[in-house]
Structure formats: structure tokens, C-alpha cells
Amino acid sequence: MRILIAEDDRKVSGFLRKGLKEEHYAVDVCHDGEEALSLVEINEYDIIILDVMMPRKNGFAVCRALREWGKLTPILMLTAKDQLEDKIKGLQEGADDYLTKPFAFEELLARIKALLRRTQDYKTAKLKVGELELDPTTRRVSRLTKTLTLTGKEYALLEYLMRNKGRVITQTMIIEHVWDMNFDGVSNVVNVYINHLREKIDKGFTTKYIHTLRGSGYKIDENPDS
């Protein structure tokens, strides 16, 4: 999952970026409203964390512009203000949730997960593909009775594939959602991580879940012909 943090306080944005990356999210950071709009124009985000008081264009204006563009990305607004009027204004401009500073990182994380479940219509907290199960709450991954041990990036890649079960996902889409904009890795990194997942998920099983569509990308599905 890829998150944009638009926050002019560099100490706060740095803290949030570090915490979210430790939770295996890909994170981009900007410090003013105009830059936030520019980044959303060229990148696809799963969540936008938007501070209200930013230079050049405030959070309310950014939120309003994104909704006018037809962007439906979940927006969590942050502010140091706690007046009811500000919360109402943020929601009226199209924000999905509102968090007043100071806040606990655990609360921010819980709100992000709740927004993902609600806005993307996840019908269950657990993701399943055949015998494979991933629990985003505990980050436990298992196939049948076998618990699988994944690195942070392997987990992030698998979660992205499973949230798009049956859909062909290109290398570019994977890079954009699993790695952040500062990524400058080698061109075959996606294939390397796909192979790592195959070793841990499909090896020793007759039914293979991770499929490569030559020239198109990858998909995860219990039925390769679906």
C-alpha cells in the first residue's frame, strides 16, 4: 500500500514516514499543498494523509481540488485545531476522516486500516486465495496449517497481490504501490521478489497461486485460467 503524507512540519512528517515504513507501507512525503497536488497527478495512492495548515495551498483547498478532479482516494486530515467547525469543514470538502494533533501513532495506524477496509469494501479482515490466508491485523500468513515467514517487502508485495486477487498487476503498478518514489533499485527487483514469494508460498504444493503473464505482469489466483 502506498501512502502520501502532506505535512509542512518536517519533524512530524519524518516521524510518520518512519513509523509507516516500519509497518511496510510505501511512503511519499511533501511539505506544501501545491506539491501534494502535483504528486497525486502523477502517482496512484491508497491513502492520503493531509495536514490542514500548509503553505501555498492549505489542506482544505487540496482536498477540495482532489475531489473536483474525481479522485476517490481516502483522505485522512490532520490539524492542530480541535474546533468542531474545522472538522465539519474538512469532511464537507471531501475528507474521509479527521485526526487532531497531538495523536498517538497507534491511533493513526488504526484509522488508516479502517479507511482501507471501508473505502475499498473489504468484506473481511482476512484476505484469502484458496488455502492461502493473510491477516492484515496480525500480519500472519499461512497456507493450510503452515505459517509462512516473510520479510517486510515480501509481505507488502503479497498483500498488494491478494487485495487484487485475479487481476493482472504490472511491474510498474507493483513498484508504485510497494516501493516509494525514492526507489532506484534494479529493474528486475519485482521478479526477484515474486520468485521469493513462490518459494515460500507455492513450493511443495500442486496448486500454484502466483502466475506470470508474459509481457503483461503477475496475478494471484487459485485458478490460473480465470
Side-chain angles (χ1 to χ4, degrees), residues 37 50 57-69 71 75 77 89-96:
L37 290 174
L50 190 61
K57 196 178 287 289
N58 67 35
F60 295 134
V62 172
C63 186
R64 180 170 61 252
L66 293 177
R67 296 314 188 212
E68 289 174 350
W69 292 355
K71 297 285 186 180
I75 294 175
M77 298 197 78
K89 182 174 176 59
L91 296 172
Q92 287 176 336
E93 296 291 3
D96 297 278

Side-chain angles (χ1 to χ4, degrees), residues 201-214:
I201 291 168
D202 286 339
K203 187 174 181 180
F205 291 93
T206 301
T207 302
K208 311 301 180 185
Y209 292 154
I210 300 177
H211 312 288
T212 300
L213 288 80
R214 194 172 300 277

Side-chain angles (χ1 to χ4, degrees), residues 33-66:
E34 291 288 355
E35 187 181 3
L37 290 174
S38 297
L39 286 173
V40 176
E41 275 193 293
I42 60 177
N43 299 305
E44 183 181 349
Y45 293 102
D46 300 287
I47 289 278
I48 297 172
I49 299 174
L50 190 61
D51 185 43
V52 169
M53 301 302 292
M54 288 188 296
R56 301 179 69 192
K57 196 178 287 289
N58 67 35
F60 295 134
V62 172
C63 186
R64 180 170 61 252
L66 293 177

Side-chain angles (χ1 to χ4, degrees), residues 7-9 12 50-53 60 77-83 86-87 98-103:
E7 164 65 71
D8 67 323
D9 187 322
V12 172
L50 190 61
D51 185 43
V52 169
M53 301 302 292
F60 295 134
M77 298 197 78
L78 304 179
T79 183
K81 299 179 179 180
D82 59 359
Q83 287 88 348
D86 290 309
K87 296 181 180 181
Y98 209 102
L99 193 55
T100 303
K101 301 175 186 175
F103 54 83

